[in-house]
Amino acid sequence: MRSSFRGMRLLALFALAVALAALPGGDAAGEAPKRAGIVVSFGGGRTTTVCVEFAEAEITGAELLRRSGLSLVTTGGAGGAAVCKIEDVGCDNPNDCFCHCRGADCRYWAYYTLDAGAWKYSNVGASLRKVRDGDVDGWAWGSGKPGGGAQPELRAFEEICPPPTEPPPTLAPPPTEPALASQTVAPTLAATAAGATELPTATSTPAQTERAPAKAATKTPEAATKTPVATNTPSTEQGGDNGLDFPLELLGFGAVAAALGTVSLVLWRRSRG
């Protein structure tokens, strides 16, 4: 039983190791895409450049041209794939890829690679060429012969694939200070309180001035001292007609004490009887 459990544990560890090995590494997942450039010269001063991104360590020259997005007509051969037509220049029939190459007048798509800042005629087809990050391939349409033909315009990798520009950081708006909100609210509350206290004085002062201007100043304090008397009215109403103002808590405590005394008296009489 113990050996069977140990075998199952080893099998689980082995499966975990295989799964971890199949996961992509952290550095590869966050690695920037690789880039390579293409220069296509159609003749007559017309040239197109394309920067192609790829995630692989290397791709073929034919795949680089295919990923450029240009319309193509290609065919296979012993030396690799041959390009018959790019965009609107070349031969439409892949079975007659060199339709413009007849005798001394031979026009075709010549394939070059950029090496040390200069074009180098490729001795292999595009499908056999290995393109890596920072490489540049060139295609030129024109007259030539095997081993040499028309050359594309010379363009550096930095011209075709400029460094990516990062967008400027977005500045967050400055936080609002809570103190400003409290400062604006405080005068409003103060003004409201002041208005509430001044309203009775403003309404009562004209009436007193019209009746007796000389005695208006003496009656105002008396009215202020009589104000607490009005607040005692609910207490006298709760006390009843006899004018007693006992709290309800004391009355409840007295009732409980009387009940306990009655019970104690009854029990004492029973014990004596």
Side-chain angles (χ1 to χ4, degrees), residues 125-224:
S127 59
L128 302 178
R129 149 89 165 155
K130 302 299 182 183
V131 179
R132 297 177 177 85
D133 186 29
D135 288 343
V136 178
D137 280 9
W139 295 88
W141 174 263
S143 299
K145 59 182 179 180
Q151 289 190 5
E153 288 188 18
L154 187 61
R155 301 288 181 87
F157 173 77
E158 290 74 15
E159 299 180 60
I160 307 170
C161 300
T165 57
E166 297 182 358
T170 304
L171 299 178
T176 57
E177 298 181 359
L180 297 177
S182 61
Q183 290 176 1
T184 56
V185 174
T188 305
L189 296 177
T192 305
T197 54
E198 291 176 0
L199 285 177
T201 306
T203 54
S204 59
T205 302
Q208 294 176 357
T209 305
E210 291 177 1
R211 295 177 182 178
K215 297 181 181 181
T218 58
K219 289 183 178 182
T220 301
E222 294 177 1

Side-chain angles (χ1 to χ4, degrees), residues 29-71:
E31 187 179 358
K34 301 170 181 62
R35 301 187 300 168
I38 293 181
V39 180
V40 180
S41 294
F42 299 90
R46 175 188 168 193
T47 298
T48 298
T49 61
V50 181
C51 182
V52 179
E53 294 185 351
F54 54 96
E56 300 90 331
E58 60 181 27
I59 59 177
T60 64
E63 183 65 18
L64 180 68
L65 183 60
R66 188 187 68 81
R67 296 187 188 184
S68 67
L70 301 172
S71 61

Side-chain angles (χ1 to χ4, degrees), residues 84-147:
C84 308
K85 185 178 181 179
I86 301 178
E87 293 292 313
D88 57 346
V89 178
C91 300
D92 294 324
N93 187 1
N95 296 323
D96 190 11
C97 192
F98 298 95
C99 62
H100 294 281
C101 191
R102 298 288 187 267
D105 185 15
C106 184
R107 287 178 295 163
Y108 68 101
W109 281 104
Y111 181 40
Y112 291 83
T113 61
L114 190 64
D115 185 11
W119 289 119
K120 180 181 179 181
Y121 190 87
S122 178
N123 295 323
V124 296
S127 59
L128 302 178
R129 149 89 165 155
K130 302 299 182 183
V131 179
R132 297 177 177 85
D133 186 29
D135 288 343
V136 178
D137 280 9
W139 295 88
W141 174 263
S143 299
K145 59 182 179 180

